[in-house]
Amino acid sequence: MVTVHEAVFLRACVQPAGFPTTGFPEVAFVGRSNVGKSSLMNLLLGRKDLVKVSRTPGKTQTINFFEVNARWYFVDLPGYGFARVPLTVQVGWKNLIEAYLTQRTALRGVVLLLDPRRPPTELDCQMGDWLDAIGIPVIYVATKSDQVSRAQRLPSQRAIVETLGLTADEAPCFVSAKTGEGKAELWKRLDRLLQPPRLP
Ligand code: GDP
């Protein structure tokens, strides 16, 4: 498994002008509010609360960049689908996320986080379809796997695969920030995504 020897918060951006220009390969994390994004990023980075575990869902309105091992960026995108956020703010986020996802040349892929305890929402489907349409590789992750029993695993996985129309290769990785389940598998997928492309 990849060893994280350095993980630092670089900056929070409210507009594309603030995005770093170093050119490090990066991977972005996205999902609905409260899906467990901060906890999962902290698990991967081996830090307790580098990515703030949000106490008030929907508050993060910035795109946050974390520098990992001085060679990659992990990018925390604002959570979507928090009903109590005013529409104007939601539109603002949408524009910022769209600008990020369509303009970032360093972006190697997106980790789309899903709650395995319920079927993917309309917004999850829209995000998946949209990433597919613009050709960004996606790693699907089912979070909080400690809350899904062995018996519920297969039906839960099937619901995600069928609702989002995924191929067998795209089937979600079950990860728990609580037990660490799935961390090694997810790092394996991330490592593959972040490797420099092989020369022909
Ligand atoms: P975010 O809003 O998507 O960043 O989600 P957070 O990481 O802040 O987590 C939302 C809530 O889910 C918090 O109460 C976390 O303690 C809880 N949570 C996150 N990950 C896990 C997990 O793997 N297992 C369990 N049981 N709870 C989790």
Side-chain angles (χ1 to χ4, degrees), residues 32-39 53-54 144 146-147 176-178:
R32 69 169 185 77
S33 299
N34 218 34
V35 73
K37 179 158 52 70
S38 317
S39 307
V53 177
S54 48
K144 309 186 192 183
D146 56 284
Q147 296 194 338
S176 166
K178 202 169 165 185

Side-chain angles (χ1 to χ4, degrees), residues 119-130:
T121 66
E122 184 53 39
L123 287 174
D124 294 330
C125 295
Q126 279 177 22
M127 183 55 87
D129 286 349
W130 194 65

Side-chain angles (χ1 to χ4, degrees), residues 47-129:
R47 302 296 187 276
K48 223 171 138 42
D49 45 22
L50 181 66
V51 186
K52 282 230 170 62
V53 177
S54 48
R55 293 274 165 260
T56 42
K59 273 281 163 64
T60 323
Q61 300 175 24
T62 53
I63 292 187
N64 297 343
F65 287 82
F66 298 85
E67 192 179 299
V68 184
N69 289 352
R71 60 188 289 216
W72 304 312
Y73 290 131
F74 270 25
V75 185
D76 184 13
L77 297 181
Y80 53 75
F82 184 61
R84 265 177 282 162
V85 172
L87 201 63
T88 48
V89 178
Q90 286 182 28
V91 170
W93 292 0
K94 192 165 170 273
N95 291 342
L96 182 63
I97 294 177
E98 281 186 7
Y100 171 80
L101 290 172
T102 53
Q103 290 167 22
R104 271 315 260 183
T105 47
L107 180 64
R108 293 292 175 79
V110 167
V111 177
L112 177 51
L113 307 182
L114 301 161
D115 183 345
R117 296 167 303 175
R118 42 190 73 94
T121 66
E122 184 53 39
L123 287 174
D124 294 330
C125 295
Q126 279 177 22
M127 183 55 87
D129 286 349

Side-chain angles (χ1 to χ4, degrees), residues 20-43:
T21 53
T22 331
F24 289 165
E26 68 194 35
V27 64
F29 294 77
V30 70
R32 69 169 185 77
S33 299
N34 218 34
V35 73
K37 179 158 52 70
S38 317
S39 307
L40 180 113
M41 291 178 73
N42 284 325
L43 172 81

